[in-house]
Amino acid sequence: MSRELKYHEAINEAIDQCMAADPSVYIMGLGVPDPNAIQGTTRGLREKYGDLRVLDTPTSENGMTGAAIGSAIVGMRPILTHHRVEFALLSMEQIVNQAAKWHYVFGRKVPMVVRMLIGRGWGQGPQHSQSLQALFAHIPGLKVVLPATPHDAKGLLTASIEDDNPVLVLEHRWLYNTYGDVPEAPYRVPLGSAATVRPGSHITVAACSHMVLEALRCAEFLTDHGVDAEVIDLRSVRPLDIETITESVGRTGHLLVADIGWTAGGVSGEVVAAVTERAFDSLRSPPKRVGLPPSPTPASPSLAESYYPRARDLAVSICATLGVSVPEEALTALDSKGPIDVPDSSFTGPF
């Protein structure tokens, strides 16, 4: 029987079910027990499991990450949560030099999850609204996932908590109040497996996180103009499921990669390079990328309007690739309405 949950409710259910099933699982982070409950994802957990398993932390990210790593090495399964991905930058030494390498150097597993909020929202500007998945995906020993749907938010997080080595789960702010089908029983979405969320025959659009929603909007719009786009949700950027993408490109002959981060040195370039290496003969046009321009993320709504790519940008790129003409007024209508920095009316604060 299907039921709908919000993205944040699916995350909450995954944590709850994992904590109920395994007493070694605990969650920690600045603001975890707050009334805001990290966008609702940790609501009710302290009341259910107590303050020894649901812990607030001081603003000492490097130290707290070290504590999480230490507890993981001795058999616990910590979930360390950051309100913003930028807070994790203060613990890069622990993540990159310790967690990622411990199994390689010492043969000991480090079963820990680090949750990070990413993406634009409420004018947070260049130091609090970035999407830094490419930084972490560059590091051997780390797994990096970006769930785009409530179903995958629960399944990927459950699989991450049960994984025996460090997994970083990056959650886009704009997704927390989206709805989707989520089974009530525990389930897992395998790490490193992409999903074809919309079949098509004319072009492959590989997207991650919130750009999956924009890609689906674009694909539905283009059906009225004779374009049948296949949309692939990467789900994981380390490991990266290139096989699913190359199989799709083998049928469509065209590739567009849509990322929530910068194109320079980013995930989109890695996807293009990997597909080109494996399926060059299948490509009938140069692969294209859509991502952030090479400047810091703005706080100003007027700058944000031109900064963040949306469904219209994907449509323009696809039409140029396929030689399809779409009236300008139709493309204008595709632009999302309302403030570019606020996903919905319920989003009332910076966290």
Side-chain angles (χ1 to χ4, degrees):
M1 182 176 179
S2 65
R3 59 167 191 159
E4 283 198 337
L5 289 185
K6 289 184 176 181
Y7 187 97
H8 73 82
E9 293 171 330
I11 291 172
N12 180 270
E13 187 166 88
I15 298 171
D16 186 6
Q17 290 178 347
C18 287
M19 292 184 72
D22 185 349
S24 70
V25 176
Y26 73 95
I27 186 166
M28 63 190 292
L30 182 65
V32 163
D34 281 358
N36 180 62
I38 316 286
Q39 296 289 348
T41 61
T42 61
R43 185 163 291 128
L45 295 178
R46 172 167 276 196
E47 292 79 4
K48 192 170 185 178
Y49 297 104
D51 56 10
L52 293 181
R53 295 182 67 193
V54 184
L55 295 83
D56 204 352
T57 60
T59 52
S60 180
E61 286 79 3
N62 202 51
M64 292 300 97
T65 304
I69 293 170
S71 71
I73 291 170
V74 298
M76 301 297 288
R77 289 186 177 269
I79 307 167
L80 177 61
T81 303
H82 295 293
H83 269 298
R84 299 180 172 96
V85 66
E86 290 81 6
F87 294 169
L89 300 181
L90 297 166
S91 57
M92 283 293 277
E93 195 283 329
Q94 292 284 2
I95 294 172
V96 172
N97 264 350
Q98 307 304 329
K101 296 175 174 61
W102 204 267
H103 184 262
Y104 180 82
V105 173
F106 300 109
R108 296 288 298 274
K109 297 172 181 176
V110 187
M112 66 180 291
V113 168
V114 185
R115 295 176 54 220
M116 310 174 191
L117 275 67
I118 60 172
R120 68 187 188 261
W122 213 65
Q124 294 180 94
Q127 295 176 325
H128 294 103
S129 55
Q130 300 172 94
S131 297
L132 303 177
Q133 60 275 9
L135 289 181
F136 301 105
H138 186 65
I139 307 300
L142 297 179
K143 296 176 182 176
V144 183
V145 301
L146 296 96
T149 65
H151 176 276
D152 288 349
K154 179 178 176 178
L156 284 171
L157 182 55
T158 300
S160 299
I161 293 169
E162 294 177 352
D163 198 271
D164 282 335
N165 277 294
V167 184
L168 311 187
V169 180
L170 278 64
E171 303 160 10
H172 198 289
R173 290 179 183 85
W174 277 47
L175 296 173
Y176 282 117
N177 283 310
T178 57
Y179 281 92
D181 287 339
V182 179
E184 184 171 359
Y187 63 91
R188 294 135 196 94
V189 172
L191 308 183
S193 65
T196 301
V197 293
R198 184 189 189 279
S201 57
H202 293 160
I203 187 169
T204 300
V205 182
C208 68
S209 192
H210 184 261
M211 286 307 290
V212 175
L213 277 61
E214 297 290 348
L216 289 170
R217 284 188 64 231
C218 170
E220 291 305 310
F221 165 80
L222 288 176
T223 58
D224 293 335
H225 301 277
V227 176
D228 186 23
E230 179 151 297
V231 179
I232 294 175
D233 180 356
L234 298 179
R235 300 202 293 198
S236 298
V237 296
R238 183 77 180 240
L240 191 59
D241 181 4
I242 292 298
E243 289 73 21
T244 295
I245 305 169
T246 53
E247 188 277 331
S248 175
V249 170
R251 290 183 287 101
T252 67
H254 304 281
L255 174 65
L256 172 66
V257 186
D259 192 10
I260 52 171
W262 294 288
T263 54
V267 170
S268 61
E270 178 65 22
V271 173
V272 166
V275 170
T276 302
E277 288 174 345
R278 292 164 174 79
F280 182 79
D281 291 341
S282 297
L283 290 165
R284 301 199 293 270
S285 67
K288 291 187 176 180
R289 296 177 289 163
V290 171
L292 301 182
S295 65
T297 54
S300 161
S302 59
L303 293 177
E305 184 71 28
S306 301
Y307 185 79
Y308 293 104
R310 287 165 281 175
R312 175 199 169 102
D313 301 284
L314 301 183
V316 168
S317 182
I318 291 171
C319 289
T321 295
L322 300 179
V324 173
S325 178
V326 174
E328 181 61 32
E329 56 269 24
L331 289 170
T332 301
L334 183 57
D335 272 337
S336 41
K337 303 298 187 292
I340 188 64
D341 222 23
V342 181
D344 57 67
S345 59
S346 71
F347 191 91
T348 57
F351 290 130

